[in-house]
Amino acid sequence: MGEEVTKMGENGPLSAKLQQPTHFVLVHGISGGSWCWYKIRCLMENSGYRVSCIDLKGAGIDPADADSVHSFDDYNKPIMDFMSSLPDNEKVILVGHSAGGLSVTQATHKFAKKIRLAVYLAATMLKLGFWTDEDIKDGVPDLSSFGDVYELGFGLGPDQPPTSAIVKKEFQRKIIYQLSPQEDSTLAAMLSRPGPILALRSARFKEENDDIDKVMRVYIKTTHDHVVKPHQQEAMIKRWPPSEVYALDSDHSPLFSTPFLLFGLLIKAAASVGCH
Protein backbone atom coordinates (compact mmCIF):
# COMPACT_ATOMS: atom_id res chain seq x y z
CA MET A 1 0.00 0.00 0.00
CA GLY A 2 1.36 3.45 -0.92
CA GLU A 3 2.71 5.99 1.52
CA GLU A 4 -0.01 8.44 0.56
CA VAL A 5 -2.72 5.97 1.60
CA THR A 6 -1.43 4.49 4.82
CA LYS A 7 1.13 5.48 7.43
CA MET A 8 2.14 3.44 10.42
CA GLY A 9 1.18 4.72 13.83
CA GLU A 10 2.25 3.47 17.24
CA ASN A 11 -0.50 0.87 17.25
CA GLY A 12 -0.66 0.03 13.56
CA PRO A 13 -1.69 1.76 10.34
CA LEU A 14 -3.11 5.28 10.45
CA SER A 15 -4.97 6.95 7.62
CA ALA A 16 -2.95 9.88 6.27
CA LYS A 17 -6.23 11.82 6.05
CA LEU A 18 -6.70 11.56 9.81
CA GLN A 19 -3.25 13.02 10.37
CA GLN A 20 -3.95 16.16 8.37
CA PRO A 21 -4.63 19.12 10.71
CA THR A 22 -7.72 21.21 10.01
CA HIS A 23 -6.78 23.94 7.53
CA PHE A 24 -8.21 27.43 8.10
CA VAL A 25 -7.99 29.97 5.28
CA LEU A 26 -8.47 33.52 6.58
CA VAL A 27 -9.54 36.44 4.36
CA HIS A 28 -9.33 40.08 5.47
CA GLY A 29 -11.73 42.95 4.79
CA ILE A 30 -11.29 46.26 2.98
CA SER A 31 -8.11 48.18 3.94
CA GLY A 32 -6.85 45.14 5.86
CA GLY A 33 -4.39 42.40 5.01
CA SER A 34 -3.24 39.04 6.25
CA TRP A 35 -1.60 40.93 9.14
CA CYS A 36 -5.07 41.50 10.67
CA TRP A 37 -5.18 37.85 11.70
CA TYR A 38 -1.93 37.78 13.69
CA LYS A 39 -3.58 37.00 17.05
CA ILE A 40 -5.91 34.34 15.63
CA ARG A 41 -3.13 32.76 13.58
CA CYS A 42 -0.93 32.49 16.67
CA LEU A 43 -3.70 30.85 18.72
CA MET A 44 -4.55 28.43 15.91
CA GLU A 45 -1.00 27.38 15.08
CA ASN A 46 -0.14 26.94 18.76
CA SER A 47 -3.11 24.57 18.95
CA GLY A 48 -1.93 22.50 15.98
CA TYR A 49 -4.14 23.89 13.24
CA ARG A 50 -2.91 24.78 9.77
CA VAL A 51 -3.50 28.42 8.81
CA SER A 52 -3.22 30.33 5.53
CA CYS A 53 -3.78 34.10 5.49
CA ILE A 54 -4.39 35.68 2.09
CA ASP A 55 -3.54 39.19 0.90
CA LEU A 56 -6.04 40.24 -1.75
CA LYS A 57 -4.99 42.46 -4.67
CA GLY A 58 -3.66 45.80 -3.43
CA ALA A 59 -3.88 44.72 0.23
CA GLY A 60 -1.29 43.82 2.86
CA ILE A 61 2.04 43.28 1.12
CA ASP A 62 0.54 42.83 -2.35
CA PRO A 63 2.31 45.42 -4.52
CA ALA A 64 -0.72 46.54 -6.58
CA ASP A 65 -2.22 50.00 -6.09
CA ALA A 66 -5.91 49.94 -5.09
CA ASP A 67 -6.66 52.66 -7.65
CA SER A 68 -5.57 50.27 -10.41
CA VAL A 69 -7.90 47.45 -9.24
CA HIS A 70 -11.25 48.02 -10.97
CA SER A 71 -12.98 44.61 -10.98
CA PHE A 72 -13.88 42.24 -8.18
CA ASP A 73 -12.44 39.30 -10.12
CA ASP A 74 -9.09 41.08 -10.21
CA TYR A 75 -9.25 42.02 -6.50
CA ASN A 76 -10.23 38.50 -5.47
CA LYS A 77 -7.78 36.66 -7.74
CA PRO A 78 -5.32 35.77 -4.93
CA ILE A 79 -7.90 33.70 -3.00
CA MET A 80 -9.28 32.13 -6.18
CA ASP A 81 -5.75 31.16 -7.27
CA PHE A 82 -5.08 29.76 -3.79
CA MET A 83 -8.24 27.66 -3.85
CA SER A 84 -7.45 26.43 -7.35
CA SER A 85 -3.99 25.32 -6.20
CA LEU A 86 -5.34 23.14 -3.38
CA PRO A 87 -5.39 19.38 -4.04
CA ASP A 88 -8.81 18.15 -5.16
CA ASN A 89 -9.11 15.99 -2.03
CA GLU A 90 -8.38 18.82 0.43
CA LYS A 91 -11.21 20.65 2.18
CA VAL A 92 -10.61 23.89 4.05
CA ILE A 93 -12.51 26.13 6.43
CA LEU A 94 -12.83 29.53 4.78
CA VAL A 95 -13.25 32.55 7.08
CA GLY A 96 -14.05 36.03 5.73
CA HIS A 97 -14.05 39.20 7.82
CA SER A 98 -16.16 42.20 6.77
CA ALA A 99 -15.90 42.65 2.96
CA GLY A 100 -13.96 39.37 2.99
CA GLY A 101 -17.39 37.76 3.06
CA LEU A 102 -17.74 38.61 -0.64
CA SER A 103 -14.45 36.83 -1.30
CA VAL A 104 -15.66 33.76 0.58
CA THR A 105 -18.94 33.71 -1.37
CA GLN A 106 -17.24 33.91 -4.75
CA ALA A 107 -14.81 31.14 -3.75
CA THR A 108 -17.70 28.99 -2.53
CA HIS A 109 -19.56 29.38 -5.84
CA LYS A 110 -16.55 28.03 -7.72
CA PHE A 111 -14.84 25.69 -5.25
CA ALA A 112 -17.70 24.29 -3.14
CA LYS A 113 -16.17 20.80 -3.15
CA LYS A 114 -12.98 22.13 -1.54
CA ILE A 115 -14.75 23.99 1.29
CA ARG A 116 -15.86 22.15 4.41
CA LEU A 117 -17.26 25.26 6.08
CA ALA A 118 -17.67 28.96 5.21
CA VAL A 119 -17.56 31.38 8.15
CA TYR A 120 -18.76 34.98 7.85
CA LEU A 121 -17.33 37.21 10.58
CA ALA A 122 -19.08 40.60 10.80
CA ALA A 123 -19.16 40.06 7.07
CA THR A 124 -21.09 40.85 3.93
CA MET A 125 -23.07 37.65 3.27
CA LEU A 126 -24.99 38.03 0.01
CA LYS A 127 -25.48 34.91 -2.07
CA LEU A 128 -25.12 36.72 -5.41
CA GLY A 129 -23.30 39.90 -4.38
CA PHE A 130 -24.58 43.39 -5.24
CA TRP A 131 -27.44 43.22 -7.73
CA THR A 132 -30.22 45.19 -6.01
CA ASP A 133 -30.71 48.27 -3.82
CA GLU A 134 -31.53 45.90 -0.98
CA ASP A 135 -28.17 44.17 -1.42
CA ILE A 136 -26.40 47.52 -1.12
CA LYS A 137 -28.50 48.59 1.87
CA ASP A 138 -27.75 45.36 3.73
CA GLY A 139 -24.17 44.75 2.64
CA VAL A 140 -22.44 48.14 2.27
CA PRO A 141 -21.34 50.05 5.40
CA ASP A 142 -23.02 53.44 5.86
CA LEU A 143 -20.71 55.62 7.97
CA SER A 144 -22.42 58.91 7.10
CA SER A 145 -23.55 59.48 10.70
CA PHE A 146 -19.89 59.93 11.65
CA GLY A 147 -19.36 62.74 9.13
CA ASP A 148 -16.86 62.97 6.27
CA VAL A 149 -14.83 59.90 7.20
CA TYR A 150 -13.29 58.69 3.92
CA GLU A 151 -10.18 59.60 2.02
CA LEU A 152 -11.04 58.77 -1.58
CA GLY A 153 -8.86 57.94 -4.57
CA PHE A 154 -9.86 58.75 -8.16
CA GLY A 155 -7.79 56.44 -10.31
CA LEU A 156 -10.04 56.95 -13.36
CA GLY A 157 -10.03 60.73 -13.09
CA PRO A 158 -11.72 63.35 -10.87
CA ASP A 159 -14.94 63.29 -12.89
CA GLN A 160 -15.35 59.50 -12.45
CA PRO A 161 -16.56 57.49 -9.42
CA PRO A 162 -13.91 56.92 -6.73
CA THR A 163 -11.74 53.84 -7.16
CA SER A 164 -10.44 53.54 -3.59
CA ALA A 165 -11.31 54.55 -0.05
CA ILE A 166 -9.87 54.41 3.43
CA VAL A 167 -11.33 55.65 6.71
CA LYS A 168 -9.33 58.70 7.82
CA LYS A 169 -6.91 57.95 10.65
CA GLU A 170 -8.68 60.25 13.11
CA PHE A 171 -11.92 58.25 12.72
CA GLN A 172 -10.55 54.70 12.64
CA ARG A 173 -10.52 53.96 16.35
CA LYS A 174 -13.92 55.56 16.99
CA ILE A 175 -15.63 53.64 14.18
CA ILE A 176 -13.78 50.35 13.67
CA TYR A 177 -11.76 49.57 16.80
CA GLN A 178 -13.60 51.26 19.67
CA LEU A 179 -13.36 48.17 21.94
CA SER A 180 -9.94 46.99 20.78
CA PRO A 181 -6.62 47.45 22.59
CA GLN A 182 -4.98 50.75 21.70
CA GLU A 183 -1.86 48.93 20.49
CA ASP A 184 -3.95 47.16 17.86
CA SER A 185 -5.73 50.26 16.61
CA THR A 186 -2.32 51.97 16.42
CA LEU A 187 -0.94 49.03 14.43
CA ALA A 188 -3.96 49.10 12.13
CA ALA A 189 -3.52 52.85 11.51
CA MET A 190 0.07 52.14 10.45
CA LEU A 191 -0.69 49.16 8.18
CA SER A 192 -4.13 49.87 6.68
CA ARG A 193 -4.19 50.69 2.96
CA PRO A 194 -6.90 52.19 0.74
CA GLY A 195 -9.32 49.53 -0.45
CA PRO A 196 -10.60 49.22 -4.04
CA ILE A 197 -14.21 50.22 -3.50
CA LEU A 198 -15.03 50.33 -7.21
CA ALA A 199 -13.99 46.68 -7.48
CA LEU A 200 -15.92 45.69 -4.36
CA ARG A 201 -19.11 47.38 -5.56
CA SER A 202 -18.86 45.34 -8.77
CA ALA A 203 -19.03 42.03 -6.88
CA ARG A 204 -21.82 40.12 -8.64
CA PHE A 205 -22.05 36.35 -8.85
CA LYS A 206 -24.14 34.00 -10.97
CA GLU A 207 -25.53 30.80 -9.57
CA GLU A 208 -24.55 28.18 -12.12
CA ASN A 209 -25.57 25.25 -9.89
CA ASP A 210 -26.71 24.61 -6.32
CA ASP A 211 -23.26 23.61 -5.02
CA ILE A 212 -22.98 26.72 -2.84
CA ASP A 213 -25.98 25.64 -0.79
CA LYS A 214 -24.29 22.33 -0.04
CA VAL A 215 -21.54 24.12 1.87
CA MET A 216 -22.32 24.66 5.56
CA ARG A 217 -22.19 28.33 6.59
CA VAL A 218 -21.79 29.97 9.98
CA TYR A 219 -22.33 33.67 10.71
CA ILE A 220 -20.59 35.34 13.66
CA LYS A 221 -22.37 38.55 14.66
CA THR A 222 -20.57 41.47 16.30
CA THR A 223 -23.05 43.20 18.57
CA HIS A 224 -21.28 46.60 18.95
CA ASP A 225 -20.34 46.96 15.29
CA HIS A 226 -20.39 50.50 13.82
CA VAL A 227 -19.35 49.32 10.34
CA VAL A 228 -21.53 46.36 9.35
CA LYS A 229 -24.25 47.33 11.80
CA PRO A 230 -26.22 44.68 13.74
CA HIS A 231 -29.43 45.38 11.75
CA GLN A 232 -27.52 44.83 8.50
CA GLN A 233 -26.09 41.56 9.81
CA GLU A 234 -29.57 40.42 10.85
CA ALA A 235 -31.03 41.33 7.46
CA MET A 236 -28.40 39.27 5.61
CA ILE A 237 -28.86 36.32 7.97
CA LYS A 238 -32.63 36.44 7.41
CA ARG A 239 -32.30 36.58 3.61
CA TRP A 240 -29.78 33.73 3.32
CA PRO A 241 -29.99 31.75 6.56
CA PRO A 242 -26.75 30.03 7.63
CA SER A 243 -26.60 26.72 9.51
CA GLU A 244 -25.49 28.41 12.74
CA VAL A 245 -25.35 31.94 14.11
CA TYR A 246 -22.99 32.93 16.92
CA ALA A 247 -22.57 36.35 18.56
CA LEU A 248 -19.61 38.20 20.01
CA ASP A 249 -19.74 41.23 22.33
CA SER A 250 -17.36 42.98 20.02
CA ASP A 251 -16.64 45.97 17.81
CA HIS A 252 -16.10 45.44 14.07
CA SER A 253 -12.71 43.88 14.75
CA PRO A 254 -13.03 40.87 17.07
CA LEU A 255 -9.67 39.79 15.61
CA PHE A 256 -8.27 42.44 17.97
CA SER A 257 -10.93 43.02 20.64
CA THR A 258 -12.02 39.44 21.51
CA PRO A 259 -9.41 37.08 19.97
CA PHE A 260 -9.78 34.27 22.52
CA LEU A 261 -13.57 34.19 22.25
CA LEU A 262 -13.35 34.36 18.45
CA PHE A 263 -10.82 31.52 18.38
CA GLY A 264 -13.17 29.46 20.56
CA LEU A 265 -16.11 30.05 18.21
CA LEU A 266 -14.04 29.15 15.14
CA ILE A 267 -12.97 25.88 16.76
CA LYS A 268 -16.58 25.21 17.82
CA ALA A 269 -17.72 25.81 14.25
CA ALA A 270 -14.99 23.50 12.95
CA ALA A 271 -16.09 20.77 15.37
CA SER A 272 -19.66 21.08 14.09
CA VAL A 273 -18.50 19.81 10.68
CA GLY A 274 -16.34 17.04 12.16
CA CYS A 275 -12.99 18.88 12.23
CA HIS A 276 -10.79 18.65 15.32
Side-chain angles (χ1 to χ4, degrees), residues 50-120:
R50 188 174 162 207
V51 184
S52 298
C53 299
I54 309 297
D55 279 326
L56 299 175
K57 191 85 173 277
I61 60 171
D62 183 272
D65 184 323
D67 287 317
S68 71
V69 181
H70 302 153
S71 75
F72 187 76
D73 286 350
D74 190 22
Y75 175 61
N76 209 36
K77 190 172 185 293
I79 183 67
M80 301 300 275
D81 288 349
F82 178 86
M83 293 301 299
S84 180
S85 73
L86 289 173
D88 287 340
N89 62 348
E90 182 170 356
K91 284 195 163 196
V92 301
I93 294 178
L94 206 46
V95 185
H97 174 236
S98 195
L102 293 163
S103 300
V104 167
T105 300
Q106 188 184 45
T108 309
H109 274 290
K110 186 165 184 187
F111 299 106
K113 291 180 171 64
K114 291 184 177 182
I115 299 167
R116 190 179 300 278
L117 174 68
V119 181
Y120 292 79

Side-chain angles (χ1 to χ4, degrees), residues 182-197:
Q182 204 142 8
E183 297 91 337
D184 289 321
S185 57
T186 301
L187 179 73
M190 294 166 68
L191 295 179
S192 294
R193 294 174 60 184
I197 54 167

Side-chain angles (χ1 to χ4, degrees), residues 148-168:
D148 178 19
V149 303
Y150 287 115
E151 279 177 30
L152 300 173
F154 294 87
L156 296 175
D159 56 339
Q160 297 296 314
T163 46
S164 70
I166 188 170
V167 174
K168 294 173 184 174

Side-chain angles (χ1 to χ4, degrees), residues 19-46:
Q19 293 187 329
Q20 293 296 322
T22 300
H23 187 180
F24 287 88
V25 179
L26 311 179
V27 186
H28 62 81
I30 190 169
S31 293
S34 56
W35 59 269
C36 296
W37 298 99
Y38 80 98
K39 289 182 174 180
I40 301 302
R41 181 172 197 156
C42 182
L43 289 167
M44 285 183 165
E45 290 183 340
N46 285 347

